[in-house]
Amino acid sequence: MSNNFAIGLLLIGGAILTMGDVLMKKWALSSSNIYYIIGIIVYVIAIGFLAESFKYKNMAVANAICVGFNIVTLVLISWLYFKEALTMTQLIGVGLILTGIFVIELL
């Protein structure tokens, strides 16, 4: 049960981290300080989920899962929402991230 709970915390934390990244991107595009302030608050909340997962998982593994999920969701959001192009090298990198998470978590 604790492993599934930790994975849940990490996925939620990664999703919240992604929201923080999106807010920071909106701040960078608009220079509206409200995006910056809310983005910082969202980052702190995401780190709370990551820190809680340390009770159940190795710190390095937990970080890899959280940030890996964050990167995968950011790739999708940057492509779908911000209309940013993705190169084959970037897509291969995402595949390697997912493979790495699989190796450290499931094997």
Side-chain angles (χ1 to χ4, degrees):
M1 158 99 175
S2 64
N3 189 51
N4 290 338
F5 182 69
I7 296 293
L9 287 173
L10 293 167
L11 295 180
I12 292 168
I16 294 170
L17 186 59
T18 299
M19 288 188 289
D21 290 333
V22 169
L23 288 164
M24 289 303 183
K25 176 71 174 187
K26 287 181 155 287
W27 167 74
L29 294 173
S30 71
S31 298
S32 174
N33 288 334
I34 192 69
Y35 288 123
Y36 182 80
I37 293 166
I38 295 171
I40 294 293
I41 293 167
V42 170
Y43 279 149
V44 170
I45 293 168
I47 294 302
F49 279 89
L50 177 61
E52 186 65 27
S53 76
F54 292 164
K55 293 178 181 177
Y56 309 100
K57 291 205 108 15
N58 174 290
M59 184 172 66
V61 172
N63 250 307
I65 292 169
C66 185
V67 173
F69 182 72
N70 170 246
I71 291 170
V72 170
T73 56
L74 280 176
V75 164
L76 292 172
I77 288 172
S78 67
W79 178 59
L80 294 171
Y81 183 75
F82 291 106
K83 307 297 185 208
E84 296 177 345
L86 298 172
T87 66
M88 184 55 70
T89 303
Q90 291 167 332
L91 293 174
I92 291 170
V94 170
L96 290 172
I97 289 168
L98 293 173
T99 302
I101 291 171
F102 176 78
V103 168
I104 64 173
E105 179 58 22
L106 300 175
L107 294 182

